[in-house]
Amino acid sequence: MKILGENDRLPHGSTVATIGMFDGVHRGHATLVDFLNRQAREMGKQSLVITFLHHPRHVLRPNDPFRLIMTLEDRLQQIGALNPDLLLPLDFTKELSQLDSSQFIELLRDRYGMSVLVSGYNHHFGHNRGETFEDYCRHGERLGVKLVKAPEYLGRYAPVSSTIIRGLIAAGKVDDAMRCMGRPHVIRGKVVHGFHNGRGLGFPTANVGELDSKILLPHNGAYAVLAHLGDRTLQGMANIGKRPTLDNGDQISIEVNLFDFDEDIYGQDISLEFISFLRLEFKMCGIEELKHQLTLDRNNARRLLEEFLTTKQS
């Protein structure tokens, strides 16, 4: 796969393209890109996936608290794993948002050699969102571009959409989100200094900070996670929340207890894969109850992670 720059130009009629945000790169996206690749091969052309560098909502409404499922780097990597011939990260600007669908089709035709546009199921583009696929077909016919609608994903986990997945993650249903995407939800950060309470409880934790503020966090609670430190993958449990039992204030923290691990990792990059929800965060009666609950959480997390890894390897 080749990643294009916006200033690259492709020969006229050389590509079969699709366009979208592709946030989460879920099973529906995989169905779309597979269809795109097959169409391109049958026509002897190159398949081109066009995604946006920035979400349109962040450009048009910069103060909107809207959060994404994944970083740009992760999105490009996961789209690449679907094996299109070409990938174009396009800068979504206010000027681009003013183009209607006809002008947008023309731009893709002239700059990136698009002869066929594969439209995702229920996908709309151009500033007139009231237009239908039939409207797009009429524009395409006038411009010499064929419009093809990709099939809807109808697999085991349908319906699937980025909006549905965001809702699942926000509700703490990371198990269901993982099934929709085909992989766990990931957050990335750096190990920073926290409250240092965990070691005294017998559950030393790494505090995860320097997060991308545009990436969605799961609902406050405890989760079974896989943590990645460099080339190492470790099992653990993470807590997202305010730590009410320890009266640590209103600041949201993300802390992970790594099983069978006791190294100084301050300052290191860390990523967490959220495998399964354990419980909601709640205030306990005291330290002993907290230690008892953490022991239950750890046992439950070990079991769930073992089940996940066994299933993944089978």
Side-chain angles (χ1 to χ4, degrees):
M1 183 196 72
K2 179 180 179 182
I3 297 182
L4 302 174
E6 286 196 44
N7 294 326
D8 288 332
R9 296 294 179 265
L10 299 176
H12 180 75
S14 62
T15 64
V16 177
T18 191
I19 186 162
M21 189 65 202
F22 292 93
D23 190 26
V25 194
H26 52 64
R27 294 182 187 275
H29 293 140
T31 297
L32 168 60
V33 177
D34 178 67
F35 179 79
L36 173 80
N37 289 338
R38 287 188 283 112
Q39 291 286 306
R41 284 196 299 269
E42 290 172 7
M43 298 176 187
K45 301 178 185 294
Q46 290 188 296
S47 60
L48 168 62
V49 173
I50 303 169
T51 187
F52 295 124
L53 288 173
H54 310 286
H55 197 284
R57 284 179 63 168
H58 289 153
V59 175
L60 301 177
R61 288 180 275 172
N63 295 322
D64 192 332
F66 177 77
R67 292 194 173 189
L68 298 170
I69 299 167
M70 63 196 335
T71 64
L72 172 64
E73 181 183 6
D74 285 345
R75 180 156 41 99
L76 296 182
Q77 181 180 20
Q78 292 300 331
I79 293 174
L82 300 177
N83 296 313
D85 296 312
L86 304 167
L87 173 57
L88 171 65
L90 188 65
D91 190 13
F92 187 90
T93 63
K94 290 184 179 179
E95 292 73 24
L96 191 67
S97 74
Q98 296 303 309
L99 298 181
D100 61 29
S101 57
S102 176
Q103 292 169 320
F104 195 59
I105 292 171
E106 186 175 12
L107 180 147
L108 299 183
R109 180 200 67 182
D110 293 346
R111 289 188 183 180
Y112 307 113
M114 184 181 73
S115 61
V116 179
L117 174 59
V118 175
S119 175
Y121 182 79
N122 265 350
H123 179 68
H124 297 276
F125 58 90
H127 71 74
N128 184 0
R129 292 306 177 99
E131 287 191 318
T132 65
F133 179 73
E134 288 69 29
D135 293 319
Y136 301 154
C137 289
R138 284 194 293 272
H139 298 323
E141 185 175 2
R142 179 175 56 81
L143 294 167
V145 175
K146 182 180 179 182
L147 270 290
V148 179
K149 181 178 285 189
E152 180 184 7
Y153 167 71
L154 296 173
R156 179 179 178 184
Y157 304 108
V160 170
S161 72
S162 299
T163 301
I164 288 173
I165 293 168
R166 288 188 202 102
L168 291 171
I169 294 169
K173 297 179 180 180
V174 295
D175 323 54
D176 292 331
M178 174 169 59
R179 296 182 185 102
C180 289
M181 289 189 289
R183 83 192 77 81
H185 179 54
V186 176
I187 63 170
R188 302 185 187 279
K190 193 177 290 290
V191 179
V192 299
H193 288 281
F195 294 103
H196 302 287
N197 292 323
R199 187 169 296 277
L201 296 171
F203 294 86
T205 59
N207 191 276
V208 183
E210 298 188 22
L211 304 168
D212 186 331
S213 62
K214 291 187 175 65
I215 302 303
L216 181 65
L217 296 180
H219 193 282
N220 287 3
Y223 298 85
V225 299
L226 293 176
H228 299 275
L229 288 164
D231 58 359
R232 293 186 292 180
T233 300
L234 304 167
Q235 297 184 29
M237 59 181 183
N239 186 79
I240 301 176
K242 301 178 181 179
R243 301 162 52 91
T245 306
L246 299 173
D247 295 321
N248 288 137
D250 291 328
Q251 181 180 349
I252 298 292
S253 66
I254 302 174
E255 294 184 298
V256 56
N257 171 239
L258 302 173
F259 302 152
D260 307 315
F261 182 83
D262 189 18
E263 295 180 19
D264 184 354
I265 55 174
Y266 287 114
Q268 292 189 30
D269 293 330
I270 186 170
S271 63
L272 301 180
E273 290 185 306
F274 286 81
I275 305 303
S276 188
F277 174 78
L278 297 175
R279 62 172 173 83
L280 290 172
E281 184 178 54
F282 61 93
K283 186 168 184 176
M284 300 175 201
C285 294
I287 296 300
E288 291 306 312
E289 183 182 358
L290 176 58
K291 290 168 66 174
H292 176 69
Q293 182 61 56
L294 290 174
T295 301
L296 295 177
D297 292 341
R298 181 171 58 191
N299 293 339
N300 196 18
R302 285 186 184 275
R303 176 182 60 80
L304 291 166
L305 290 169
E306 185 62 31
E307 289 176 0
F308 170 76
L309 292 171
T310 301
T311 302
K312 185 178 179 180
Q313 293 165 4
S314 63

